[in-house]
């Protein structure tokens, strides 16, 4: 198993540095397989990463390509890695669970994508898995007034998968990134 991490950044220097620091603390063996793709930030993000972590590959785009195109640039830089984690710069790792995730993907070649359990800064669960939406989700989605007024309704709970603690492996229809 070879794990690589791609972080796409744009004008978020302090968050990016916290993110890379968490990789260094939780997965020091993966730091050299980390790629930061900077989308033409003007806040010194790329230089700060290069100065503090010379082993991290930094790719500076001449313009803001957006997340998907920049993520693809980072993925192409990690061609010899069997698993790649797309990690947002405002996220931090709290443990070494990415190694377990990469090992799981290695052992289950039928799995194409895996999303980890994501928690907010206060420790509360950030719902990051969903069921495929149906027509009722126009009224019962994460940001709808109906869900705000009736947060425990069955339709929203089924779609947002809030009836599951996200601490066990389970098939889902789609995952959001972090």
């Amino acid at each position: 198993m070879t794990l690589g991490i791609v972080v796409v950044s744009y004008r978020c220097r302090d968050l990016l540095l916290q993110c890379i620091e968490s990789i260094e603390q939780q997965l020091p063996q993966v730091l050299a397989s980390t790629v930061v793709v900077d989308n033409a930030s003007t806040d010194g993000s790329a230089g700060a990463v290069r100065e503090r972590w010379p082993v991290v590959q930094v790719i500076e785009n001449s313009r803001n390509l957006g997340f998907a195109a920049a993520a693809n640039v980072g993925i192409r830089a990690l061609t010899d890695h069997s698993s790649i984690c797309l990690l947002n710069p405002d996220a931090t790792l709290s443990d070494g669970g990415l190694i377990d995730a990469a090992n799981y993907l290695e052992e289950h070649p039928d799995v194409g994508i895996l999303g980890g359990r994501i928690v907010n800064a206060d420790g509360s669960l950030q719902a990051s898995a969903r069921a495929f939406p149906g027509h009722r989700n126009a009224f019962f989605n994460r940001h709808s007034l109906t869900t705000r007024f009736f947060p425990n309704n069955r339709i929203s709970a089924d779609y947002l998968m809030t009836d599951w603690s996200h601490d066990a492996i389970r098939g889902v229809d789609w995952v959001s990134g972090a």
Side-chain angles (χ1 to χ4, degrees):
M1 180 278 306
T2 55
L3 171 64
I5 298 176
V6 174
V7 182
V8 175
S9 69
Y10 179 68
R11 296 185 187 170
C12 58
R13 181 184 180 278
D14 293 341
L15 290 172
L16 174 63
L17 296 178
Q18 291 172 14
C19 176
I20 304 299
E21 185 174 300
S22 77
I23 297 169
E24 179 182 44
Q25 291 173 353
Q26 301 299 328
L27 299 172
Q29 71 276 28
V30 181
L31 196 60
S33 296
T34 299
V35 177
V36 171
V37 182
D38 187 77
N39 268 334
S41 295
T42 55
D43 62 356
S45 296
V49 172
R50 276 194 187 100
E51 181 180 319
R52 186 157 172 198
W53 298 284
V55 69
V56 172
Q57 182 180 356
V58 178
I59 300 170
E60 291 184 78
N61 291 326
S62 59
R63 62 185 177 86
N64 186 349
L65 301 179
F67 177 80
N72 285 334
V73 168
I75 291 167
R76 281 192 293 273
L78 293 170
T79 56
D80 58 338
H81 291 74
S82 58
S83 295
I84 297 174
C85 172
L86 299 177
L87 187 64
N88 287 356
D90 62 345
T92 57
L93 303 179
S94 59
D95 60 32
L98 282 182
I99 298 295
D100 294 336
N103 286 332
Y104 183 87
L105 288 171
E106 188 84 15
E107 295 165 8
H108 297 87
D110 57 316
V111 175
I113 193 165
L114 185 143
R117 184 173 195 266
I118 301 172
V119 294
N120 296 308
D122 66 1
S124 63
L125 178 68
Q126 186 178 115
S128 58
R130 303 278 191 282
F132 285 131
H135 64 281
R136 297 186 296 182
N137 294 117
F139 302 103
F140 295 94
N141 61 60
R142 188 169 116 184
H143 300 292
S144 72
L145 288 175
T146 311
T147 300
R148 284 189 198 158
F149 290 126
F150 305 101
N152 297 319
N153 73 76
R154 183 82 251 147
I155 297 168
S156 297
D158 287 348
Y159 171 64
L160 299 172
M161 304 184 103
T162 56
D163 59 344
W164 166 49
S165 66
H166 294 66
D167 58 359
I169 296 171
R170 175 178 171 177
V172 298
D173 293 331
W174 64 276
V175 297
S176 62

